[in-house]
């Protein structure tokens, strides 16, 4: 006997019931209850993606902390982010997924990366609730299913 959850999904599977985020929104995506800048790091999943494996990230020569984030933008559109918790990363290299514009769901990915474009990278300092531009040691261009390994941000 199907029942409807608070997000309007009607089925008999309690395992997929939506939950409230910390802002009290059913099915919401708030990452932080106190920090609206951090909550702006939302993006839609796309079938077009690239992955960047980052070996280090610093702000003014100081390594960023496990509470900080590396964020990718195309213009002012967030196209990917990764919390910098190196204990969750592969061999101390944190992967940053960066979404591209998909032909199958273009309404949800309008303004996302396209082949040959370069994302803008930022570092979010959680302790200061401030975002800083990040500079890579090499030129980084986006291509679908592209993988770039071992580069630092500072």
């Amino acid at each position: 006997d199907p029942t409807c959850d608070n997000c309007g999904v009607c089925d008999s599977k309690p395992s997929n019931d939506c939950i409230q985020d910390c802002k009290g929104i059913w099915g919401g995506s708030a990452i932080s209850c106190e920090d609206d800048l951090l909550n702006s790091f939302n993006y839609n999943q796309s079938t077009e993606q690239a992955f960047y494996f980052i070996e280090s990230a610093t702000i003014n020569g100081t390594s960023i902390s496990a509470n900080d984030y590396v964020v990718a933008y195309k213009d002012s559109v967030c196209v990917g982010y990764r919390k910098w918790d190196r204990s969750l990363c592969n061999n101390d290299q944190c992967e940053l997924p960066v979404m591209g514009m998909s032909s199958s769901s273009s309404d949800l990915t309008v303004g996302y990366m396209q082949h040959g474009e370069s994302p803008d990278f930022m570092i979010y300092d959680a302790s200061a609730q401030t975002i800083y531009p990040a500079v890579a040691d090499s030129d980084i261009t986006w291509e679908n299913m592209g993988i770039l390994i071992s580069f630092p941000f500072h």
Side-chain angles (χ1 to χ4, degrees), residues 15-126:
S15 62
N16 71 353
D17 286 352
C18 72
I19 59 172
Q20 279 182 311
D21 67 10
C22 65
K23 296 261 188 185
I25 298 171
W26 286 99
S29 60
I31 300 167
S32 168
C33 292
E34 297 82 35
D35 189 345
D36 287 332
L37 179 59
L38 183 58
N39 288 329
S40 71
F41 303 154
N42 287 318
Y43 62 90
N44 293 309
Q45 190 73 31
S46 173
T47 57
E48 308 283 319
Q49 320 177 5
F51 296 90
Y52 300 91
F53 288 82
I54 305 163
E55 67 182 27
S56 65
T58 61
I59 298 172
N60 296 324
T62 303
S63 294
I64 65 174
S65 77
N67 293 322
D68 297 334
Y69 288 76
V70 177
V71 187
Y73 286 94
K74 179 181 175 195
D75 300 322
S76 61
V77 177
C78 179
V79 291
Y81 70 88
R82 170 66 60 209
K83 188 172 185 181
W84 193 258
D85 185 346
R86 294 187 78 164
S87 69
L88 302 175
C89 297
N90 185 20
N91 295 324
D92 278 342
Q93 291 188 350
C94 293
E95 82 285 351
L96 171 62
V98 178
M99 300 298 126
M101 193 165 94
S102 170
S103 59
S104 62
S105 62
S106 60
D107 287 347
L108 298 175
T109 60
V110 168
Y112 282 22
M113 301 304 302
Q114 294 184 47
H115 182 78
E117 295 179 330
S118 296
D120 296 317
F121 295 99
M122 307 293 270
I123 297 173
Y124 173 74
D125 180 347

